[in-house]
Amino acid sequence: MTMETEGENHTVKALNLLRTRICGTTFIFKDSPDSNYSKLKFMISSSVAEACNNSILLLGPRGSGKIAVLDLVIQDLLIQFPDSISVVRLSGLLHSDDISAFKEIARQLCMEHQLLFSKAASSDDNSQFMVAVLKECGLAHKTVIFILDEFDLFAQGKQRLLYSLLDAMQSVSSQAVVLGISCRLDADQLLEKRVRSRFSHRKLLFLPPSVEDSQRLLVHMLTLPIDSSLPSDYAVEFNRKVQNIIDDRRFKEIFDKYLSYDSSVKHLLRFLYCAVSHMDLQIGFLSRENFETAFSSIQRQPKLECLRNCSILELYILVCMKRLEVKEQNLCNFNTVMKEYKIIHDSFQTSDYYARNVCLRAFEHLIHRELICFTDNRGHSLSAEFRPVKLLISSAELHQGLKAYQSCPAILQKLIEREV
Amino acid sequence: MDKEEEAPQIPRRTTRSLYSSSASTSNIVPAAKVSNLEALTINDLLVGGDPISLDDITSSFPGRSSQIHEVVRLLGPLNSPLLPLFVYGGASTGKTSIILQIFRHLKRPLVYSSCRTCYNQRILFESVLNQLLLHRKNMANSYTNAKRCERPSDFVNFLREALTGIVNNLKEKSEKLISEKKTHDGGMGNMIYLVFDNFHLVREWDKSSTILPLLFNLYDMLKIPEVSLIFISSTSPDTFYSNMGYVEPIPIYFPDYTEGDIRQILLRNQANQKLYSSFLDVALKPFCRITRQVGELATALKPLYEQYCEPLSDKGKGVLPSEDMKRRLFNHIKPHIASSLNDVFKVSSPSSREVETSKETKLKGNPKRSEEIADLDFHMSTSAKYLLISAFLASRNPATLDASLFDSKGGSDNRKRKRKASEKALEKKELLEEELLMKGPGTFPLERLIAIFQCIVSVADEPSDEDEQNNEELGAQCGNGSLMSDVLLQLSTLCNANFIFKGKSCPIEGSTRYRSTISENMALKQVARSLKFPLSKYLYRS
């Protein structure tokens, strides 16, 4: 093997390592003890050790690492108490109706305790089975941890699942922890009175990290280990380059700008992922340009992109619709747009005047691009010409888009500007 | 669709099994039969076809090299995990073909399911599972699916099971390869990619309240690092907002082709490149002002190019255009461009074109006229035509005027009323016109349709002698009372052909209401003229 391919081998290895770190959710929270991590671990481990019931809500915006932290805690606890914990995981997206929720609980409990799961069991059987297992587990001093992801979705409807779970926990013999995870900060307000009174109102709030913390996380994620299969001089050089990038003022500007949109951990990881993927394997080190391209490829302006794709005729139709909107004609459809199009043509003698069927196709293109949409959802009783439509683009965006459009006819810009 | 123009030497989007079988042999039927008997292996998850290099891909997709490289970079080297990707861009920008070709190049397994063919959540789930479980529907299993699954919760359980199976299978395979040192690059790797094409259609499934967040959150839910998701959509990520929220996938944007790219694409596979290029110099720019979709442009430009070559001796096959000739050709084509711009999207059915060419010699005197007549004669019985006209009238005219229009003295009444047009009436007319533009054709109950139908059939009886036989028949049917059943039959045919729209029954009146969907142009020019029916006399003109 030549030196070159060997060098490339390192970089591929390093790249794979970084990508695995970014895609796996737990690494970012490892070695950086989160205060929530220790709190949560204390709460669960004490209720396991003292054999009592508990219910906790983990709240925070999407992508703030609620599940990742919980997974770390559960991992630790499974090592700490290998025989006295069993975990049941539910997701509100999948099990928000009672029937499938009870079924899934029964299935997971059966798997856990090597019992035979019957698919044909009724929902009632399943719920009774759950209560029975909880009782048995309590007698055996075994804690069942219920993890309810998307907790707010379980609070829709009659909340039978939540009620029967929490009600079963009221008895002395049972021993269970219910962990609700939700993005809605008012998740506990959604509960019915009978459920809320059985819920111990512990809440853990997960907040996005500050800019300094984000930067610390960035270093943590991108630093290569010196004592691994990678050659140490390569790793040292790599880490030095990363540090150089982070110290660069221009990088800081981009980084701050990116986090100002959304500073959650998941959002940060997306940015790192893009930057790392753009790393040049030939060079083998990250550069500031990688982060710049990542920034521009993630932060997109879909409406302006869409405008850039439009043909001139499509722009005409958009401008006509905008004019109608300014005239406060609150309902417009293809026919009224065509009328306006004709007025414009008559008064300015534009070179772009096409037949009706051509315009109709351009109109349909705009609907496919989702720059305009039908206001009624009733659908197909009328042909497209008659259905009322509305613009999905603001006049500022249209204005900006027309300016950026290279071969935009001057008349269109004038038509828009007159009103602005 | 119009993928062919972009990559002529690559077959269209096909299922992979079809792809490989048709690539290997032209004699598909026996080959398919044989392959039906073999059990599927994990190799069937690869995109079929000969290995292809990255350079070949970039050269077969002009103007797409930055997108291709971006996708390859994001997919990363072998065995590296991947966050979900979201590929988006307008119609006919090469999203699907490029993704499939890249996978063909990388030789990695993928599960491709299009949300257009898998048109609801159950079919999508079952299609994904069938592919993952290497299940093929055939006679032996009476064409059933590998798993029956309707609920998302079942799907996620089955999916997790199937994926772990596949991933273990892949891992074993690559370990074996490494231990045997057969290949130095590790073969297929351990990753499996799930591709969801036409993802924008999912938004319309059962109001997308559960399925959309489920698919977006699937990656976090599965927590299998070897699995990754690729969504292909024709609308941008911001059109997928729901009140659930999700962590957005990594966007990859395919912009529409620029004029230069379109030029390059259209130039491919042309016999005479120089001549075609000089043609594009003239014709492409005005057409690009109307549309920038390659497929539409290709169909619109084709007849024009034939016209362009007309003055040349051998249809321009071996001609090298000189400056002088270019100018001559330009002058020849110039008047045609303006007119053809206005029928860019006219769909010419192949049958009518065939008819045209076969009749060409006979009807050369006035080809335009003959074409129209040929168009007129869409095969419909006379009574169906009358029915269509009465539906049109019922949709257009206000119901209150029926009596005066169709009364035996109706014609004279009508004229009197018209003469008395006052200021107020004029205003009213304008309002009505506006309303017609906004609301479109009105609805009408069946009774009114039948009444008008009978009126116009009886009117048509009197003046015309040509159709006597026909009308006698109608009259006879009227007498027998069998007309009604016949009319209802015709009506349902017209409804099915989408000439008349049948609405749901009205909650107040309780009867079904109808609406005619044909345009005035068609009603007047085509149907009425073929019947020699004086339609304009009966049309209430505001």
Side-chain angles (χ1 to χ4, degrees):
Chain A
M1 225 181 249
T2 58
M3 275 306 284
E4 212 172 69
T5 54
E6 207 165 292
E8 213 164 278
N9 248 346
H10 298 152
T11 45
V12 170
K13 237 184 226 169
L15 182 62
N16 273 352
L17 176 73
L18 291 180
R19 285 170 63 122
T20 315
R21 275 185 192 175
I22 294 168
C23 293
T25 43
T26 46
F27 181 84
I28 194 161
F29 295 102
K30 238 178 230 169
D31 309 326
S32 56
D34 197 278
S35 66
N36 277 328
Y37 168 79
S38 39
K39 271 186 213 163
L40 189 62
K41 194 173 172 187
F42 173 73
M43 279 195 236
I44 302 178
S45 64
S46 65
S47 45
V48 172
E50 290 162 23
C52 59
N53 292 310
N54 209 344
S55 43
I56 309 163
L57 278 182
L58 312 183
L59 304 177
R62 205 167 276 280
S64 53
K66 303 177 289 288
I67 299 184
V69 169
L70 179 62
D71 281 346
L72 276 178
V73 170
I74 298 273
Q75 247 174 42
D76 290 358
L77 290 175
L78 281 174
I79 295 166
Q80 204 180 334
F81 310 99
D83 297 324
S84 51
I85 292 182
S86 59
V87 182
V88 174
R89 284 173 189 270
L90 298 181
S91 165
L93 280 173
L94 307 176
H95 314 111
S96 58
D97 63 318
D98 297 329
I99 298 169
S100 59
F102 282 122
K103 194 173 159 193
E104 182 66 19
I105 292 176
R107 195 186 70 87
Q108 292 193 18
L109 286 175
C110 285
M111 289 250 288
E112 190 82 28
H113 299 100
Q114 279 94 41
L115 297 169
L116 199 66
F117 169 64
S118 152
K119 270 185 191 167
S122 71
S123 169
D124 225 34
D125 292 341
N126 284 333
S127 84
Q128 278 168 10
F129 172 76
M130 179 189 82
V131 175
V133 169
L134 275 181
K135 209 173 249 172
E136 290 297 321
C137 282
L139 292 175
H141 291 292
K142 202 168 178 185
T143 304
V144 184
I145 300 181
F146 289 94
I147 299 174
L148 307 180
D149 193 8
E150 312 284 353
F151 183 76
D152 46 313
L153 293 180
F154 286 102
Q156 289 170 346
K158 296 222 162 151
Q159 309 187 352
R160 238 189 83 212
L161 171 79
L162 290 179
Y163 176 72
S164 43
L165 245 182
L166 292 168
D167 195 48
M169 285 164 56
Q170 297 299 311
S171 70
V172 197
S173 59
S174 75
Q175 200 177 323
V177 179
V178 173
L179 292 159
I181 301 169
S182 175
C183 306
R184 283 186 66 166
L185 300 187
D186 63 341
D188 56 333
Q189 302 300 313
L190 298 170
L191 299 176
E192 271 174 33
K193 203 172 149 198
R194 58 172 189 165
V195 179
R196 205 185 306 167
S197 62
R198 287 168 168 78
F199 197 83
S200 44
H201 287 263
R202 288 175 216 275
K203 281 187 263 183
L204 277 183
L205 203 58
F206 284 73
L207 291 174
S210 64
V211 179
E212 289 75 34
D213 283 341
S214 299
Q215 220 167 61
R216 199 177 42 72
L217 287 174
L218 183 96
V219 177
H220 170 65
M221 292 299 287
L222 294 183
T223 309
L224 289 182
I226 310 270
D227 51 342
S228 68
S229 57
L230 293 168
S232 59
D233 50 338
Y234 171 72
V236 168
E237 178 68 10
F238 189 94
N239 294 343
R240 197 180 58 77
K241 292 235 162 146
V242 168
Q243 196 55 49
N244 277 350
I245 294 168
I246 290 166
D247 293 337
D248 194 331
R249 189 180 46 80
R250 282 169 294 180
F251 170 77
K252 266 184 192 147
E253 268 171 27
I254 296 175
F255 193 62
D256 289 349
K257 208 167 155 194
Y258 183 76
L259 290 183
S260 66
Y261 290 110
D262 179 357
S263 55
S264 69
V265 175
K266 212 38 185 268
H267 197 60
L268 174 71
L269 287 178
R270 286 173 73 210
F271 182 50
L272 292 187
Y273 179 85
C274 269
V276 166
S277 310
H278 281 103
M279 182 170 88
D280 194 337
L281 287 178
Q282 232 94 82
I283 301 168
F285 299 106
L286 281 169
S287 68
R288 186 171 49 79
E289 285 75 31
N290 295 151
F291 289 93
E292 276 164 8
T293 34
F295 179 74
S296 63
S297 69
I298 288 190
Q299 289 307 335
R300 296 218 159 261
Q301 292 170 306
K303 288 287 178 231
L304 290 181
E305 281 167 358
C306 237
L307 270 185
R308 219 166 295 143
N309 286 337
C310 286
S311 66
I312 306 274
L313 177 58
E314 286 160 24
L315 290 184
Y316 263 100
I317 292 177
L318 284 178
V319 169
C320 287
M321 284 188 69
K322 184 48 81 183
R323 277 170 67 91
L324 286 176
E325 203 177 272
V326 170
K327 280 182 193 165
E328 291 183 346
Q329 191 167 333
N330 41 16
L331 261 181
C332 73
N333 63 10
F334 178 68
N335 286 323
T336 52
V337 173
M338 275 297 97
K339 223 166 139 190
E340 181 71 21
Y341 181 61
K342 193 164 183 316
I343 291 171
I344 288 180
H345 173 70
D346 288 346
S347 46
F348 300 102
Q349 290 305 319
T350 58
S351 57
D352 297 277
Y353 189 70
Y354 302 103
R356 197 182 149 87
N357 66 329
V358 177
C359 294
L360 186 59
R361 273 303 268 271
F363 189 72
E364 282 167 356
H365 284 173
L366 285 175
I367 289 171
H368 289 308
R369 292 185 200 282
E370 311 228 342
L371 285 171
I372 59 181
C373 75
F374 292 121
T375 47
D376 59 339
N377 295 322
R378 271 177 312 190
H380 315 293
S381 70
L382 273 173
S383 48
E385 296 129 274
F386 296 110
R387 292 175 67 186
V389 287
K390 67 178 175 205
L391 273 176
L392 294 177
I393 182 167
S394 70
S395 67
E397 275 173 319
L398 187 56
H399 201 86
Q400 204 185 338
L402 286 180
K403 260 187 191 162
Y405 198 95
Q406 275 178 359
S407 51
C408 173
I411 179 74
L412 280 181
Q413 299 214 7
K414 272 185 205 153
L415 284 172
I416 276 286
E417 264 161 37
R418 195 164 298 162
E419 298 145 6
V420 171
Chain B
M1 285 182 69
D2 35 42
K3 305 282 168 190
E4 258 174 342
E5 285 77 32
E6 296 156 35
Q9 82 271 52
I10 298 160
R12 294 171 184 218
R13 200 188 305 167
T14 48
T15 59
R16 278 180 306 280
S17 53
L18 237 178
Y19 202 133
S20 50
S21 64
S22 64
S24 58
T25 165
S26 57
N27 203 0
I28 299 171
V29 183
K33 260 187 187 161
V34 171
S35 67
N36 256 343
L37 298 174
E38 293 165 11
L40 287 168
T41 64
I42 201 143
N43 287 332
D44 287 294
L45 292 179
L46 299 173
V47 178
D50 302 328
I52 185 169
S53 74
L54 202 57
D55 291 335
D56 284 342
I57 301 178
T58 36
S59 64
S60 62
F61 293 96
R64 282 291 101 118
S65 76
S66 76
Q67 281 78 25
I68 292 169
H69 285 113
E70 194 179 354
V71 173
V72 170
R73 281 201 165 146
L74 287 171
L75 287 175
L78 203 67
N79 294 339
S80 68
L82 174 71
L83 288 181
L85 300 184
F86 189 93
V87 180
Y88 72 101
S92 72
T93 48
K95 303 174 293 289
T96 306
S97 359
I98 284 177
I99 294 285
L100 289 181
Q101 290 308 312
I102 286 177
F103 272 93
R104 178 171 155 205
H105 160 68
L106 294 172
K107 298 195 204 71
R108 296 188 198 165
L110 89 161
V111 171
Y112 173 90
S113 34
S114 162
C115 300
R116 197 183 292 283
T117 47
C118 305
Y119 53 84
N120 65 27
Q121 89 180 28
R122 205 191 90 204
I123 296 175
L124 179 69
F125 292 166
E126 286 172 354
S127 137
V128 170
L129 290 173
N130 279 346
Q131 293 183 56
L132 277 176
L133 295 168
L134 307 172
H135 171 87
R136 183 187 272 151
K137 293 186 198 180
N138 56 23
M139 198 88 106
N141 54 29
S142 62
Y143 300 97
T144 50
N145 291 307
K147 298 271 182 199
R148 226 186 103 75
C149 99
E150 212 153 346
R151 289 168 185 274
S153 53
D154 295 339
F155 172 62
V156 171
N157 286 338
F158 286 137
L159 186 66
R160 188 173 282 133
E161 215 173 90
L163 281 172
T164 25
I166 283 270
V167 167
N168 288 338
N169 194 339
L170 282 169
K171 271 185 184 157
E172 256 171 47
K173 202 165 181 177
S174 59
E175 265 164 31
K176 211 167 156 193
L177 275 178
I178 288 168
S179 63
E180 286 172 10
K181 294 207 168 135
K182 264 190 184 161
T183 53
H184 52 275
D185 57 354
M188 292 156 71
N190 307 338
M191 293 285 292
I192 174 107
Y193 300 83
L194 306 185
V195 180
F196 298 97
D197 199 356
N198 294 317
F199 195 63
H200 54 278
L201 296 174
V202 177
R203 289 175 302 169
E204 280 141 38
W205 298 355
D206 92 277
K207 304 277 182 290
S208 76
S209 53
T210 54
I211 177 78
L212 205 54
L214 168 75
L215 289 175
F216 272 128
N217 286 316
L218 194 59
Y219 181 76
D220 290 326
M221 232 181 267
L222 287 171
K223 286 186 190 140
I224 306 175
E226 285 88 3
V227 176
S228 113
L229 307 174
I230 298 172
F231 304 105
I232 303 176
S233 153
S234 71
T235 58
S236 54
D238 67 319
T239 57
F240 285 85
Y241 282 141
S242 65
N243 46 9
M244 264 290 298
Y246 53 90
V247 176
E248 277 180 42
I250 311 255
I252 303 174
Y253 177 54
F254 281 59
D256 276 16
Y257 291 109
T258 62
E259 210 178 298
D261 300 334
I262 293 173
R263 201 191 162 83
Q264 263 184 303
I265 294 166
L266 291 175
L267 267 178
R268 297 163 63 87
N269 281 8
Q270 287 298 332
N272 190 339
Q273 299 260 336
K274 289 250 169 63
L275 187 68
Y276 200 77
S277 147
S278 68
F279 164 68
L280 286 183
D281 285 339
V282 183
L284 188 57
K285 215 173 177 80
F287 276 92
C288 271
R289 289 176 86 87
I290 296 180
T291 177
R292 277 168 55 188
Q293 290 192 8
V294 183
E296 289 174 352
L297 281 173
T299 42
L301 287 173
K302 204 175 162 219
L304 200 61
Y305 182 58
E306 278 161 17
Q307 264 178 333
Y308 184 76
C309 294
E310 236 166 45
L312 300 172
S313 52
D314 55 343
K315 296 262 175 195
K317 253 161 211 148
V319 193
L320 275 184
S322 62
E323 279 306 308
D324 180 50
M325 188 198 283
K326 273 186 198 168
R327 212 168 300 128
R328 199 159 51 83
L329 287 173
F330 173 66
N331 286 334
H332 164 71
I333 200 73
K334 206 175 163 194
H336 294 293
I337 289 181
S339 66
S340 63
L341 278 177
N342 278 335
D343 36 52
V344 175
F345 299 118
K346 202 165 265 178
V347 183
S348 52
S349 60
S351 63
S352 79
R353 198 180 285 167
E354 270 166 38
V355 170
E356 204 181 309
T357 46
S358 66
K359 285 183 182 172
E360 206 167 21
T361 42
K362 285 187 227 161
L363 304 165
K364 228 164 194 177
N366 46 0
K368 263 265 155 74
R369 202 31 83 67
S370 66
E371 200 182 313
E372 255 175 42
I373 290 169
D375 277 355
L376 284 179
D377 201 20
F378 50 100
H379 309 281
M380 206 187 260
S381 68
T382 314
S383 67
K385 280 179 185 167
Y386 274 116
L387 197 60
L388 198 57
I389 288 179
S390 31
F392 177 72
L393 285 174
S395 262
R396 276 306 165 87
N397 293 343
T400 45
L401 287 180
D402 277 356
S404 56
L405 279 174
F406 295 107
D407 225 350
S408 51
K409 298 165 280 178
S412 59
D413 273 0
N414 201 8
R415 245 157 260 145
K416 251 185 213 164
R417 201 171 38 74
K418 262 191 182 162
R419 235 174 276 142
K420 279 195 290 181
S422 65
E423 282 281 301
K424 222 175 192 177
L426 269 175
E427 246 173 62
K428 218 176 184 178
K429 271 178 207 165
E430 259 171 41
L431 271 177
L432 262 172
E433 201 175 350
E434 197 91 323
E435 213 179 89
L436 194 70
L437 274 182
M438 278 312 294
K439 276 194 186 157
T443 61
F444 50 87
L446 183 63
E447 291 81 6
R448 192 173 159 221
L449 176 71
I450 301 292
I452 294 180
F453 175 70
Q454 279 179 338
C455 281
I456 62 174
V457 166
S458 65
V459 167
D461 261 345
E462 289 159 17
S464 73
D465 297 323
E466 301 158 47
D467 291 319
E468 200 149 357
Q469 205 172 352
N470 203 345
N471 287 327
E472 256 173 41
E473 260 174 50
L474 276 176
Q477 279 171 347
C478 242
N480 292 340
S482 68
L483 176 73
M484 278 311 287
S485 67
D486 194 37
V487 164
L488 289 180
L489 206 66
Q490 301 272 17
L491 182 62
S492 76
T493 312
L494 288 175
C495 286
N496 286 339
N498 227 354
F499 284 118
I500 298 176
F501 172 79
K502 186 179 174 183
K504 288 188 190 108
S505 63
C506 172
I508 300 168
E509 291 176 40
S511 62
T512 316
R513 294 188 76 88
Y514 296 83
R515 189 200 296 272
S516 112
T517 55
I518 60 171
S519 66
E520 184 173 341
N521 212 0
M522 182 167 154
L524 265 177
K525 283 214 177 117
Q526 310 205 348
V527 186
R529 205 185 290 165
S530 73
L531 286 174
K532 302 205 174 65
F533 178 78
L535 178 65
S536 44
K537 212 172 97 189
Y538 290 97
L539 203 57
Y540 173 67
R541 288 249 173 247
S542 41

